[in-house]
Amino acid sequence: MQTAKHSTPLPREGQGGGVAFKYFPHTADDIQQMLDVIGVRSLDDLYAEIPEEIKLHRELDLPSEKSEEEVRSIIQGLAAQNKPLVCFAGAGSYDHYTPSVVPFLASRSEFSTSYTPYQAEISQGTLQYIFEYQSLMANLTGMDISNASMYDGSTATAEAMLMCVAAAKKRNRVLISATMQPAVLAVVRTYAKFHGVDLVEVPEKDGVMDKDAAREQIEKDDVAGLIVCQPNRYGLIEDFTGLADLCHEHKALLAVNTMASALAVLKTPGEWGADIACGEAQSLGIPMGYGGPYIGYLCTKEALVRKMPGRLVGATTDADGRRTFVLTMQAREQHIRREKATSNICTAQGFMCLYVACYLSLMGPKGMHEVNEQSYASAHYLHDELLKTGKFEEVFPGSFLNEFTLRVKGDAHKLREALAEEGYLLGVPTLFKENCLTIASTERRTKQEIDNMVECIKR
Amino acid sequence: MNRTYYGKLIFELSKQGRVGYSLPKNEFEGYSLVELDATLSRQTELSLPECDELTVVRHYTNMSNNNFGVDTGFYPLGSCTMKYNPKLNEEVCQLPGFNLHPMTPAKYAQGSLKLYDEVQKTLAEIAGLSRFTLNPYAGAHGELTGLMVIRSYHISRGDTLRTKIIVPDSAHGTNPASAAVCGLQIVEVKSLADGTVDVEALKPLLGPDIAGMMMTNPNTLGLFEKQIPEIARLVHECGGLMYYDGANLNPMLGVCRPGDMGFDVMHINLHKTFSTPHGGGGPGSGPVGVRKGLEQFLPNPQVRLTPNPSLVERGADTSAYELHCETTPLSTREGQGVSPYVSFFLGNFGIIIRAYAYLLSLGKENIPMAGKLSVLNANYIKESLRSHYKLPIDTVCKHEFVFDGLLEEYGGDHHDPEHVTTLDVAKRLLDYGFHAPTIYFPLLFHEALMIEPTETESKETLDDFIAVMKRIAEEAKTNPQLLKTAPHDTPVRRMDDVKAVKEPHFTYYK
């Protein structure tokens, strides 16, 4: 065998020999004994079959190993280079209160260090919390069933689009409201382009989807589904009355994307008559965390269960007759069906189901109502105070919950930058609306914070 | 394993009037949800549980005791790389400075953007590629993203007929599924008897309709595909690109890089190779890397280091990290442009922080060692158990290998309807406090038992596992019924999977 230019030093110098690194338990003796059992002379001999010309005959061009204190210090240094701002932004990510119990329970490594619960006998903890999550999401959305989560709200909506096409069989056109959250729309559009779905945007009128334009399209009888957004990209609450009947008369499905926390107080997808409910559940106690990990939810009617992507937990009994939980209906999934599966999803956001289940268990119906009540009140107070400064004007009529859009009389970009210097994140720039900001508030924002920011604006 | 059964659901602990939260007093008088039009308001009851704090804490703590994790015991799950999840990683990802709103202006998120770029660069060096996006959320999501890159590359060259992708019959199920979501047709290439790709069978499949080929190397049998330079040459010669499924990257670390093998696009599972927790099925992270010349096809937003005049004034660094969105519209077969996005923002950022802590901790010295020790562990188990289990492919493996069930003298003859199956062996392992290996995958063998030990397991743990596997083989010979009814000592027993499908209950309410 040709000698490699860079061979593994064995053992490294030091007390006791071995590789002496905290995540590797092997002593020099261990390695030698194991090599003897295998019948090779060195660790490098285990790679003898790999052609020499494609091996890396040098060290990786990376820094040397770091001690625990060094790693902590480097990462603390990076965290210190960030400047978290008092958050008045939403657009799919909201700064809600997380009870301390939620991250505490989520830190239990019996949950976090486990794999997908394929061995149900030793995974009842994971299976049980996913079953609870499914139950909670089904109740929140007013639908029959929920899957065990999707990556985020945007991919959940893309999967809802694929579900519409799969359920319709011969139709390949899906309508999506132009008032969809822009980040969601961008992902759905990408999936549509590559999968070959004919995705058509339904235009907006006065800040909400133009229902007449939707009707015109649906009546062509070639539409597989319609996807709408609640509250929409401007924060407005849309009225979907009549949409489900219209869709169903023309054999199309209705999918409603709703910000999860709002499901506690707004008319649910189930009440609107939707076939699919999808969206982002970050608002249920998950920190903003610079965009992830979050959790997408996807719920549907019982009749559509076989078209549903992702994992699904069901209740059953064990050999002793006790109620237990298992992964079920796996014939839909990629590891069984390969290219004929309902989706390519394998790993989803399982662990975040625990976050949501803990959060909703602590909040209960009263807490969820209170969170929405306070978010509503603080957002409306902020809205009115901003208008009172005389530096903003209304853009749309219509009701909103905790997010709204105003036009800045002047340069919105400059105002947002100036406020960031003062420590406030005032909304996000509204796409395609000049000098408009879409602004959000939650129960975490105090009157003092709002008044202080408004003072800065007045200056 | 704790044998106590805990089967309650949170709904059964609920009592009307209890609360588990505390919110400040509402400061904003004069505004109330009652103003909202009834036609827009929820009318149906919200039947969430009503619980005090301790009830919730006990409930989930009791539930966790019925769960097996890497911190509980050995997890030899093939193709899943269940290595130890370092606790330092868990600590640093919680730093309050990282809890930013995703629309925070880049100027106030320099630390996070720098961290993203550092991880991106580190992965590029490890992979032998040019640039990574960390936006994909998981392995399968990475595959989809990578295939989008491949399709965009061909389409940008006007090469629009390349709509087929070659996938080996031994590939992970996500490979063909991701290709289908990406709008590609799957062409399967057969394996040779030793489980590697049949190059002769590959040749006639190549042509002007081939977008590329997906492979994992080592493959799902843990074998290094020695013909890889030849395979890559053939696929490139026909105009296709090579996609590397990074699920099995661990044994290759620092020894042989996918880029050097001839791959153009790949994903890495941070939750496998770089120690972030699997979380009972996510959140993972599936960064996608590309060879030079393909960077412009990666999804948006991209993190870029650009000169920043506003920082010059401070007399310090003149560059800053910015979010960049590729504006060149990609033409697709419909002739319209698309700016590719696969995620809400920059992916599972919290997972990326954990992986960074791991990469810093290991450094250039230990990253290659992780791979080598994982290969040592796998071969040690293989050689120690071949006396009891059928080894269909007798060669040095990489990080994992496959047994085809028990040897015939231990009751493993699968022609015998009464034979002891791989499922029986797997379930009996649970009684001894081990997680089962991956079973019935890959599909090339009848009784596949796929074992991947990872480098963080000690020789003592492996010796215990080997002893138990031998004991199970003896039991299979002397008392097969004991295996057929296993597990016996777990919190619950074997489940009625058929009932779960025939009498479906997916929620507490129905």
Side-chain angles (χ1 to χ4, degrees), chain B residues 388-391 403-422 424-425 440 445-448 473 476-477 480 483-484:
Chain B
H388 293 69
Y389 293 83
K390 220 177 289 171
L391 184 63
F403 282 132
D404 189 9
L406 284 156
L407 285 176
E408 289 179 11
E409 60 257 49
Y410 292 102
D413 179 5
H414 68 77
H415 299 295
D416 176 1
E418 298 293 303
H419 76 286
V420 176
T421 66
T422 275
D424 301 330
V425 172
Y440 302 108
F445 305 108
H446 204 269
E447 294 286 334
K477 196 152 86 173
L483 272 69
K484 298 219 164 279

mmCIF file of all heavy atoms in Angstrom, chain B residues 388-391 403-422 424-425 440 445-448 473 476-477 480 483-484:
data_model
loop_
_atom_site.group_PDB
_atom_site.id
_atom_site.type_symbol
_atom_site.label_atom_id
_atom_site.label_comp_id
_atom_site.label_asym_id
_atom_site.label_seq_id
_atom_site.Cartn_x
_atom_site.Cartn_y
_atom_site.Cartn_z
ATOM 1 N N HIS B 388 -22.261 -14.853 14.610
ATOM 2 C CA HIS B 388 -23.667 -15.102 14.946
ATOM 3 C C HIS B 388 -24.651 -14.546 13.923
ATOM 4 O O HIS B 388 -25.789 -14.969 13.870
ATOM 5 C CB HIS B 388 -23.990 -14.511 16.319
ATOM 6 C CG HIS B 388 -23.282 -15.209 17.453
ATOM 7 N ND1 HIS B 388 -21.914 -15.130 17.645
ATOM 8 C CD2 HIS B 388 -23.755 -16.002 18.445
ATOM 9 C CE1 HIS B 388 -21.583 -15.845 18.708
ATOM 10 N NE2 HIS B 388 -22.682 -16.381 19.222
ATOM 11 N N TYR B 389 -24.216 -13.543 13.178
ATOM 12 C CA TYR B 389 -25.127 -12.891 12.224
ATOM 13 C C TYR B 389 -24.562 -12.993 10.818
ATOM 14 O O TYR B 389 -23.339 -12.993 10.623
ATOM 15 C CB TYR B 389 -25.352 -11.421 12.622
ATOM 16 C CG TYR B 389 -26.115 -11.307 13.930
ATOM 17 C CD1 TYR B 389 -25.447 -11.400 15.156
ATOM 18 C CD2 TYR B 389 -27.496 -11.144 13.944
ATOM 19 C CE1 TYR B 389 -26.130 -11.340 16.369
ATOM 20 C CE2 TYR B 389 -28.192 -11.071 15.155
ATOM 21 C CZ TYR B 389 -27.501 -11.164 16.358
ATOM 22 O OH TYR B 389 -28.194 -11.109 17.536
ATOM 23 N N LYS B 390 -25.480 -13.052 9.836
ATOM 24 C CA LYS B 390 -25.093 -13.229 8.440
ATOM 25 C C LYS B 390 -24.502 -11.928 7.894
ATOM 26 O O LYS B 390 -25.171 -10.891 7.890
ATOM 27 C CB LYS B 390 -26.361 -13.583 7.634
ATOM 28 C CG LYS B 390 -26.183 -14.621 6.577
ATOM 29 C CD LYS B 390 -27.537 -14.931 5.913
ATOM 30 C CE LYS B 390 -28.462 -15.699 6.876
ATOM 31 N NZ LYS B 390 -29.847 -15.835 6.355
ATOM 32 N N LEU B 391 -23.255 -12.017 7.440
ATOM 33 C CA LEU B 391 -22.589 -10.838 6.880
ATOM 34 C C LEU B 391 -22.572 -10.997 5.365
ATOM 35 O O LEU B 391 -21.756 -11.738 4.823
ATOM 36 C CB LEU B 391 -21.162 -10.739 7.438
ATOM 37 C CG LEU B 391 -20.353 -9.509 7.029
ATOM 38 C CD1 LEU B 391 -20.982 -8.233 7.545
ATOM 39 C CD2 LEU B 391 -18.916 -9.641 7.527
ATOM 40 N N PHE B 403 -26.036 -6.473 8.465
ATOM 41 C CA PHE B 403 -26.188 -7.927 8.605
ATOM 42 C C PHE B 403 -27.502 -8.302 7.934
ATOM 43 O O PHE B 403 -28.465 -7.530 7.955
ATOM 44 C CB PHE B 403 -26.275 -8.324 10.088
ATOM 45 C CG PHE B 403 -24.957 -8.356 10.812
ATOM 46 C CD1 PHE B 403 -24.819 -7.727 12.053
ATOM 47 C CD2 PHE B 403 -23.866 -9.047 10.297
ATOM 48 C CE1 PHE B 403 -23.616 -7.772 12.743
ATOM 49 C CE2 PHE B 403 -22.657 -9.091 10.994
ATOM 50 C CZ PHE B 403 -22.528 -8.456 12.215
ATOM 51 N N ASP B 404 -27.533 -9.529 7.372
ATOM 52 C CA ASP B 404 -28.793 -10.007 6.803
ATOM 53 C C ASP B 404 -29.421 -10.993 7.789
ATOM 54 O O ASP B 404 -29.562 -12.182 7.511
ATOM 55 C CB ASP B 404 -28.524 -10.668 5.442
ATOM 56 C CG ASP B 404 -29.820 -10.997 4.708
ATOM 57 O OD1 ASP B 404 -30.895 -10.561 5.169
ATOM 58 O OD2 ASP B 404 -29.750 -11.708 3.684
ATOM 59 N N GLY B 405 -29.744 -10.528 8.973
ATOM 60 C CA GLY B 405 -30.381 -11.358 10.002
ATOM 61 C C GLY B 405 -29.415 -12.327 10.667
ATOM 62 O O GLY B 405 -28.192 -12.279 10.477
ATOM 63 N N LEU B 406 -29.986 -13.224 11.465
ATOM 64 C CA LEU B 406 -29.206 -14.227 12.193
ATOM 65 C C LEU B 406 -28.683 -15.294 11.229
ATOM 66 O O LEU B 406 -29.293 -15.545 10.180
ATOM 67 C CB LEU B 406 -30.096 -14.909 13.231
ATOM 68 C CG LEU B 406 -30.407 -14.119 14.503
ATOM 69 C CD1 LEU B 406 -31.698 -14.630 15.128
ATOM 70 C CD2 LEU B 406 -29.255 -14.222 15.490
ATOM 71 N N LEU B 407 -27.577 -15.927 11.608
ATOM 72 C CA LEU B 407 -27.101 -17.074 10.837
ATOM 73 C C LEU B 407 -28.143 -18.189 10.934
ATOM 74 O O LEU B 407 -28.919 -18.252 11.894
ATOM 75 C CB LEU B 407 -25.760 -17.574 11.394
ATOM 76 C CG LEU B 407 -24.523 -16.727 11.081
ATOM 77 C CD1 LEU B 407 -23.314 -17.310 11.797
ATOM 78 C CD2 LEU B 407 -24.269 -16.669 9.574
ATOM 79 N N GLU B 408 -28.118 -19.094 9.960
ATOM 80 C CA GLU B 408 -29.133 -20.141 9.939
ATOM 81 C C GLU B 408 -29.114 -20.999 11.199
ATOM 82 O O GLU B 408 -30.166 -21.393 11.700
ATOM 83 C CB GLU B 408 -28.959 -20.983 8.680
ATOM 84 C CG GLU B 408 -29.372 -20.169 7.460
ATOM 85 C CD GLU B 408 -29.227 -20.905 6.153
ATOM 86 O OE1 GLU B 408 -28.995 -22.128 6.176
ATOM 87 O OE2 GLU B 408 -29.339 -20.234 5.107
ATOM 88 N N GLU B 409 -27.915 -21.261 11.731
ATOM 89 C CA GLU B 409 -27.874 -22.102 12.936
ATOM 90 C C GLU B 409 -28.470 -21.407 14.159
ATOM 91 O O GLU B 409 -28.714 -22.041 15.179
ATOM 92 C CB GLU B 409 -26.454 -22.605 13.226
ATOM 93 C CG GLU B 409 -25.422 -21.531 13.456
ATOM 94 C CD GLU B 409 -24.513 -21.306 12.243
ATOM 95 O OE1 GLU B 409 -25.061 -21.169 11.124
ATOM 96 O OE2 GLU B 409 -23.283 -21.266 12.431
ATOM 97 N N TYR B 410 -28.711 -20.125 14.052
ATOM 98 C CA TYR B 410 -29.382 -19.411 15.151
ATOM 99 C C TYR B 410 -30.839 -19.096 14.800
ATOM 100 O O TYR B 410 -31.440 -18.184 15.355
ATOM 101 C CB TYR B 410 -28.614 -18.131 15.502
ATOM 102 C CG TYR B 410 -27.266 -18.414 16.116
ATOM 103 C CD1 TYR B 410 -26.102 -18.301 15.374
ATOM 104 C CD2 TYR B 410 -27.169 -18.826 17.450
ATOM 105 C CE1 TYR B 410 -24.867 -18.589 15.919
ATOM 106 C CE2 TYR B 410 -25.930 -19.120 18.018
ATOM 107 C CZ TYR B 410 -24.783 -19.001 17.242
ATOM 108 O OH TYR B 410 -23.564 -19.296 17.800
ATOM 109 N N GLY B 411 -31.379 -19.818 13.857
ATOM 110 C CA GLY B 411 -32.799 -19.663 13.540
ATOM 111 C C GLY B 411 -33.104 -18.573 12.535
ATOM 112 O O GLY B 411 -34.236 -18.118 12.419
ATOM 113 N N GLY B 412 -32.068 -18.129 11.789
ATOM 114 C CA GLY B 412 -32.260 -16.984 10.903
ATOM 115 C C GLY B 412 -32.625 -17.330 9.469
ATOM 116 O O GLY B 412 -32.670 -16.444 8.619
ATOM 117 N N ASP B 413 -32.898 -18.620 9.169
ATOM 118 C CA ASP B 413 -33.196 -19.000 7.785
ATOM 119 C C ASP B 413 -34.545 -18.434 7.356
ATOM 120 O O ASP B 413 -35.595 -18.905 7.789
ATOM 121 C CB ASP B 413 -33.210 -20.534 7.677
ATOM 122 C CG ASP B 413 -33.538 -20.993 6.261
ATOM 123 O OD1 ASP B 413 -33.660 -20.126 5.363
ATOM 124 O OD2 ASP B 413 -33.690 -22.207 6.064
ATOM 125 N N HIS B 414 -34.538 -17.425 6.487
ATOM 126 C CA HIS B 414 -35.794 -16.739 6.197
ATOM 127 C C HIS B 414 -36.714 -17.533 5.267
ATOM 128 O O HIS B 414 -37.828 -17.106 4.990
ATOM 129 C CB HIS B 414 -35.561 -15.306 5.697
ATOM 130 C CG HIS B 414 -34.929 -15.197 4.362
ATOM 131 N ND1 HIS B 414 -35.617 -15.408 3.204
ATOM 132 C CD2 HIS B 414 -33.661 -14.885 3.999
ATOM 133 C CE1 HIS B 414 -34.799 -15.238 2.176
ATOM 134 N NE2 HIS B 414 -33.604 -14.930 2.637
ATOM 135 N N HIS B 415 -36.242 -18.709 4.793
ATOM 136 C CA HIS B 415 -37.143 -19.575 4.016
ATOM 137 C C HIS B 415 -38.071 -20.330 4.964
ATOM 138 O O HIS B 415 -39.116 -20.838 4.559
ATOM 139 C CB HIS B 415 -36.337 -20.540 3.154
ATOM 140 C CG HIS B 415 -35.461 -19.817 2.167
ATOM 141 N ND1 HIS B 415 -35.998 -19.050 1.158
ATOM 142 C CD2 HIS B 415 -34.116 -19.717 2.053
ATOM 143 C CE1 HIS B 415 -35.006 -18.508 0.457
ATOM 144 N NE2 HIS B 415 -33.853 -18.893 0.991
ATOM 145 N N ASP B 416 -37.652 -20.441 6.219
ATOM 146 C CA ASP B 416 -38.468 -21.104 7.232
ATOM 147 C C ASP B 416 -39.505 -20.101 7.759
ATOM 148 O O ASP B 416 -39.141 -19.063 8.301
ATOM 149 C CB ASP B 416 -37.542 -21.581 8.374
ATOM 150 C CG ASP B 416 -38.324 -22.195 9.526
ATOM 151 O OD1 ASP B 416 -39.565 -22.271 9.429
ATOM 152 O OD2 ASP B 416 -37.672 -22.585 10.507
ATOM 153 N N PRO B 417 -40.796 -20.397 7.606
ATOM 154 C CA PRO B 417 -41.811 -19.423 8.046
ATOM 155 C C PRO B 417 -41.744 -19.110 9.548
ATOM 156 O O PRO B 417 -42.207 -18.054 9.981
ATOM 157 C CB PRO B 417 -43.141 -20.101 7.667
ATOM 158 C CG PRO B 417 -42.827 -21.515 7.344
ATOM 159 C CD PRO B 417 -41.386 -21.581 6.950
ATOM 160 N N GLU B 418 -41.164 -20.008 10.318
ATOM 161 C CA GLU B 418 -41.075 -19.816 11.765
ATOM 162 C C GLU B 418 -39.785 -19.106 12.175
ATOM 163 O O GLU B 418 -39.493 -19.000 13.359
ATOM 164 C CB GLU B 418 -41.128 -21.178 12.479
ATOM 165 C CG GLU B 418 -42.418 -21.954 12.256
ATOM 166 C CD GLU B 418 -43.618 -21.268 12.892
ATOM 167 O OE1 GLU B 418 -43.581 -21.022 14.108
ATOM 168 O OE2 GLU B 418 -44.569 -20.935 12.147
ATOM 169 N N HIS B 419 -38.994 -18.645 11.206
ATOM 170 C CA HIS B 419 -37.666 -18.132 11.537
ATOM 171 C C HIS B 419 -37.736 -16.889 12.434
ATOM 172 O O HIS B 419 -38.755 -16.191 12.482
ATOM 173 C CB HIS B 419 -36.877 -17.825 10.261
ATOM 174 C CG HIS B 419 -37.287 -16.559 9.569
ATOM 175 N ND1 HIS B 419 -38.445 -16.435 8.857
ATOM 176 C CD2 HIS B 419 -36.666 -15.351 9.473
ATOM 177 C CE1 HIS B 419 -38.542 -15.226 8.350
ATOM 178 N NE2 HIS B 419 -37.476 -14.530 8.718
ATOM 179 N N VAL B 420 -36.649 -16.682 13.150
ATOM 180 C CA VAL B 420 -36.560 -15.495 14.004
ATOM 181 C C VAL B 420 -36.178 -14.322 13.105
ATOM 182 O O VAL B 420 -35.171 -14.371 12.398
ATOM 183 C CB VAL B 420 -35.522 -15.698 15.121
ATOM 184 C CG1 VAL B 420 -35.381 -14.429 15.939
ATOM 185 C CG2 VAL B 420 -35.928 -16.861 16.011
ATOM 186 N N THR B 421 -36.998 -13.303 13.104
ATOM 187 C CA THR B 421 -36.799 -12.197 12.161
ATOM 188 C C THR B 421 -35.911 -11.108 12.763
ATOM 189 O O THR B 421 -35.639 -11.091 13.969
ATOM 190 C CB THR B 421 -38.140 -11.548 11.785
ATOM 191 O OG1 THR B 421 -38.661 -10.924 12.970
ATOM 192 C CG2 THR B 421 -39.136 -12.557 11.255
ATOM 193 N N THR B 422 -35.523 -10.209 11.884
ATOM 194 C CA THR B 422 -34.767 -9.035 12.307
ATOM 195 C C THR B 422 -35.598 -8.186 13.264
ATOM 196 O O THR B 422 -35.079 -7.622 14.222
ATOM 197 C CB THR B 422 -34.349 -8.265 11.039
ATOM 198 O OG1 THR B 422 -33.137 -8.845 10.573
ATOM 199 C CG2 THR B 422 -34.147 -6.798 11.298
ATOM 200 N N ASP B 424 -37.729 -9.304 15.422
ATOM 201 C CA ASP B 424 -37.670 -9.964 16.735
ATOM 202 C C ASP B 424 -36.371 -9.615 17.462
ATOM 203 O O ASP B 424 -36.378 -9.331 18.660
ATOM 204 C CB ASP B 424 -37.772 -11.486 16.569
ATOM 205 C CG ASP B 424 -39.071 -11.909 15.884
ATOM 206 O OD1 ASP B 424 -40.082 -11.186 16.041
ATOM 207 O OD2 ASP B 424 -39.066 -12.943 15.193
ATOM 208 N N VAL B 425 -35.269 -9.658 16.728
ATOM 209 C CA VAL B 425 -33.968 -9.318 17.323
ATOM 210 C C VAL B 425 -33.988 -7.865 17.807
ATOM 211 O O VAL B 425 -33.565 -7.550 18.926
ATOM 212 C CB VAL B 425 -32.824 -9.521 16.302
ATOM 213 C CG1 VAL B 425 -31.502 -8.985 16.839
ATOM 214 C CG2 VAL B 425 -32.699 -10.986 15.917
ATOM 215 N N TYR B 440 -34.681 -3.545 8.127
ATOM 216 C CA TYR B 440 -35.304 -3.691 6.797
ATOM 217 C C TYR B 440 -34.931 -2.553 5.853
ATOM 218 O O TYR B 440 -35.716 -2.159 5.005
ATOM 219 C CB TYR B 440 -36.829 -3.869 6.921
ATOM 220 C CG TYR B 440 -37.178 -5.074 7.770
ATOM 221 C CD1 TYR B 440 -37.711 -4.943 9.044
ATOM 222 C CD2 TYR B 440 -36.894 -6.352 7.296
ATOM 223 C CE1 TYR B 440 -37.978 -6.057 9.832
ATOM 224 C CE2 TYR B 440 -37.156 -7.474 8.074
ATOM 225 C CZ TYR B 440 -37.706 -7.319 9.334
ATOM 226 O OH TYR B 440 -37.955 -8.421 10.106
ATOM 227 N N PHE B 445 -31.522 -6.578 1.042
ATOM 228 C CA PHE B 445 -31.495 -7.837 1.783
ATOM 229 C C PHE B 445 -32.811 -8.058 2.507
ATOM 230 O O PHE B 445 -33.476 -7.108 2.913
ATOM 231 C CB PHE B 445 -30.341 -7.848 2.798
ATOM 232 C CG PHE B 445 -29.017 -7.558 2.155
ATOM 233 C CD1 PHE B 445 -28.379 -6.348 2.373
ATOM 234 C CD2 PHE B 445 -28.437 -8.476 1.300
ATOM 235 C CE1 PHE B 445 -27.176 -6.068 1.755
ATOM 236 C CE2 PHE B 445 -27.238 -8.193 0.675
ATOM 237 C CZ PHE B 445 -26.601 -6.987 0.895
ATOM 238 N N HIS B 446 -33.136 -9.323 2.663
ATOM 239 C CA HIS B 446 -34.413 -9.708 3.239
ATOM 240 C C HIS B 446 -34.553 -9.282 4.692
ATOM 241 O O HIS B 446 -35.601 -8.813 5.123
ATOM 242 C CB HIS B 446 -34.537 -11.230 3.125
ATOM 243 C CG HIS B 446 -35.942 -11.711 3.138
ATOM 244 N ND1 HIS B 446 -36.590 -12.049 4.294
ATOM 245 C CD2 HIS B 446 -36.823 -11.879 2.118
ATOM 246 C CE1 HIS B 446 -37.821 -12.421 3.990
ATOM 247 N NE2 HIS B 446 -37.995 -12.327 2.689
ATOM 248 N N GLU B 447 -33.465 -9.472 5.468
ATOM 249 C CA GLU B 447 -33.550 -9.267 6.915
ATOM 250 C C GLU B 447 -32.539 -8.200 7.370
ATOM 251 O O GLU B 447 -31.868 -8.356 8.391
ATOM 252 C CB GLU B 447 -33.260 -10.589 7.639
ATOM 253 C CG GLU B 447 -34.299 -11.672 7.402
ATOM 254 C CD GLU B 447 -35.611 -11.416 8.150
ATOM 255 O OE1 GLU B 447 -35.586 -10.724 9.187
ATOM 256 O OE2 GLU B 447 -36.657 -11.892 7.682
ATOM 257 N N ALA B 448 -32.443 -7.136 6.601
ATOM 258 C CA ALA B 448 -31.399 -6.137 6.853
ATOM 259 C C ALA B 448 -31.431 -5.585 8.280
ATOM 260 O O ALA B 448 -32.491 -5.246 8.821
ATOM 261 C CB ALA B 448 -31.513 -5.007 5.847
ATOM 262 N N ALA B 473 -28.770 -14.082 20.047
ATOM 263 C CA ALA B 473 -28.638 -15.156 19.063
ATOM 264 C C ALA B 473 -28.811 -16.517 19.738
ATOM 265 O O ALA B 473 -29.493 -17.405 19.204
ATOM 266 C CB ALA B 473 -27.290 -15.062 18.362
ATOM 267 N N ALA B 476 -32.371 -17.021 20.486
ATOM 268 C CA ALA B 476 -33.115 -17.325 19.262
ATOM 269 C C ALA B 476 -33.080 -18.820 18.993
ATOM 270 O O ALA B 476 -34.041 -19.396 18.460
ATOM 271 C CB ALA B 476 -32.535 -16.556 18.086
ATOM 272 N N LYS B 477 -31.964 -19.447 19.369
ATOM 273 C CA LYS B 477 -31.808 -20.883 19.146
ATOM 274 C C LYS B 477 -32.590 -21.674 20.202
ATOM 275 O O LYS B 477 -33.282 -22.627 19.879
ATOM 276 C CB LYS B 477 -30.320 -21.234 19.211
ATOM 277 C CG LYS B 477 -29.979 -22.582 18.642
ATOM 278 C CD LYS B 477 -28.563 -22.631 18.098
ATOM 279 C CE LYS B 477 -27.568 -22.969 19.204
ATOM 280 N NZ LYS B 477 -26.210 -23.186 18.655
ATOM 281 N N PRO B 480 -36.956 -19.221 20.971
ATOM 282 C CA PRO B 480 -37.346 -18.192 19.989
ATOM 283 C C PRO B 480 -38.597 -17.412 20.404
ATOM 284 O O PRO B 480 -38.744 -16.241 20.052
ATOM 285 C CB PRO B 480 -37.590 -18.986 18.702
ATOM 286 C CG PRO B 480 -37.661 -20.418 19.102
ATOM 287 C CD PRO B 480 -36.887 -20.560 20.360
ATOM 288 N N LEU B 483 -38.126 -14.052 21.910
ATOM 289 C CA LEU B 483 -37.858 -12.944 20.985
ATOM 290 C C LEU B 483 -39.132 -12.506 20.276
ATOM 291 O O LEU B 483 -39.354 -11.323 20.058
ATOM 292 C CB LEU B 483 -36.808 -13.359 19.947
ATOM 293 C CG LEU B 483 -35.342 -13.142 20.337
ATOM 294 C CD1 LEU B 483 -34.920 -14.077 21.456
ATOM 295 C CD2 LEU B 483 -34.440 -13.310 19.146
ATOM 296 N N LYS B 484 -39.956 -13.495 19.947
ATOM 297 C CA LYS B 484 -41.168 -13.177 19.177
ATOM 298 C C LYS B 484 -42.159 -12.340 19.978
ATOM 299 O O LYS B 484 -42.987 -11.634 19.394
ATOM 300 C CB LYS B 484 -41.839 -14.467 18.680
ATOM 301 C CG LYS B 484 -40.944 -15.262 17.733
ATOM 302 C CD LYS B 484 -41.728 -15.859 16.590
ATOM 303 C CE LYS B 484 -40.824 -16.302 15.459
ATOM 304 N NZ LYS B 484 -40.431 -15.182 14.591
#
